[in-house]
Amino acid sequence: MPFSSADLAAIGLTLRLAGTTMALLLVLSTPLAWWLAHTPSRWRGAVSAVVALPLVLPPTVIGFYLLVTLGPNGALGQLTQWLGLGTLPFTFWGLVVGSLIYSLPFAVQPLQHAFESVGKKPLEAAATLGAGPLDRFFTVALPLAGPGFITAAILSFAHTVGEFGVVLMLGGNIPGVTRVVSVQIYDHVEALEYTQAHWLAGGMVLFSFVVLLGLNLTRRKAAAAF
C-alpha cells in the first residue's frame, strides 16, 4: 500500500480542515462580499485591501501573528481562556481560524464579482413586484450568483488543502491533530523517505489539476447558461 497509516491520517485531517474551512467561509464571506459589491462607503477600498492581504503576505507572517494573537498572552488568546475555551494554537480549531484568514480572499473575491455581475436590474424588477430586501437577496441575488459560490467553494477548499506555512506556524506538527498532508510531505523529505513523499506530492499535483480543470469546466458551463 503506497500510503502509511500516518499518511492516511494526514489526508483525513486535511480533508476535514478543508471542508470545515470551506463551509464556514461560504457563510462568513457572503455578507462581506455583498457589502463590498454594493456599498458606496469610502472604507470599501481599505476593507478590500485587508481581505486581499493573504494573497501577498508570506504564510509564515500570517501564522506568526496569529500565533501571537491567539496565544496565552495575546488579546484573542486571553478572550478564549476567559470563555473557558483554552488557547487555540496547536489545536484543530486553531488551524481552522488560520485557514479562514489565509483562504479568505479565495472566497470573498469570487462572491463579490458574482454579486457585481448580477447588476441592479433584476433586483429592481423584484422590488417592483413587492419583494423586500431579504427576499430579493435570497430569491434573486443568490441564485444568479450561483457560479460564484461554486468557484468560491472550490478555490477555498483547494487552497486550504495546499496550506503549509500557516498550519506549521500555528499548529506545529502533532500527529492526528495538526499534521496535514503538506506537513507530512515535509516530514518524509526530512527523513529522506522520498518514495512516500512522491506518493503524497503526486496526489497533491493530481488533485490540483482536477480542481483547476473542474473550475474551468464550471466557468464555461456558467458562461453558456448566461
Side-chain angles (χ1 to χ4, degrees):
M1 187 175 181
F3 298 121
S4 66
S5 58
D7 292 338
L8 293 175
I11 292 172
L13 181 64
T14 302
L15 295 176
R16 180 186 168 204
L17 175 63
T20 303
T21 300
M22 177 192 70
L24 290 175
L25 273 178
L26 289 179
V27 173
L28 297 174
S29 298
T30 298
L32 177 57
W34 179 262
W35 183 83
L36 287 171
H38 295 93
T39 183
S41 172
R42 62 179 180 177
W43 294 102
R44 181 178 184 271
V47 174
S48 294
V50 171
V51 169
L53 270 179
L55 295 175
V56 296
L57 281 177
T60 49
V61 172
I62 299 173
F64 169 70
Y65 281 113
L66 284 174
L67 182 63
V68 172
T69 304
L70 297 173
N73 297 319
L76 293 180
Q78 292 181 355
L79 175 62
T80 56
Q81 290 179 94
W82 180 76
L83 293 173
L85 302 175
T87 54
L88 294 179
F90 310 109
T91 67
F92 173 78
W93 288 105
L95 293 188
V96 171
V97 172
S99 300
L100 289 174
I101 294 174
Y102 185 52
S103 296
L104 182 65
F106 292 87
V108 172
Q109 291 183 353
L111 292 177
Q112 179 184 346
H113 294 154
F115 287 138
E116 289 171 347
S117 67
V118 170
K120 295 182 179 179
K121 289 184 178 179
L123 299 175
E124 291 173 349
T128 60
L129 296 175
L134 285 178
D135 193 17
R136 295 197 297 270
F137 177 75
F138 284 106
T139 61
V140 178
L142 285 187
L144 291 178
F149 278 89
I150 295 174
T151 300
I154 293 174
L155 288 180
S156 59
F157 186 92
H159 192 247
T160 303
V161 168
E163 287 183 41
F164 178 72
V166 172
V167 297
L168 190 61
M169 289 290 291
L170 188 58
N173 187 3
I174 306 173
V177 179
T178 61
R179 183 186 291 173
V180 295
V181 168
S182 57
V183 177
Q184 182 72 1
I185 294 172
Y186 180 78
D187 283 352
H188 282 317
V189 173
E190 272 201 323
L192 302 180
E193 297 169 349
Y194 291 134
T195 300
Q196 292 92 327
H198 273 305
W199 277 106
L200 280 177
M204 292 283 284
V205 171
L206 179 61
F207 171 79
S208 300
F209 173 77
V210 170
V211 165
L212 292 176
L213 180 62
L215 187 58
N216 287 332
L217 292 175
T218 300
R219 284 175 174 171
R220 287 184 181 180
K221 289 182 179 180
F226 288 94

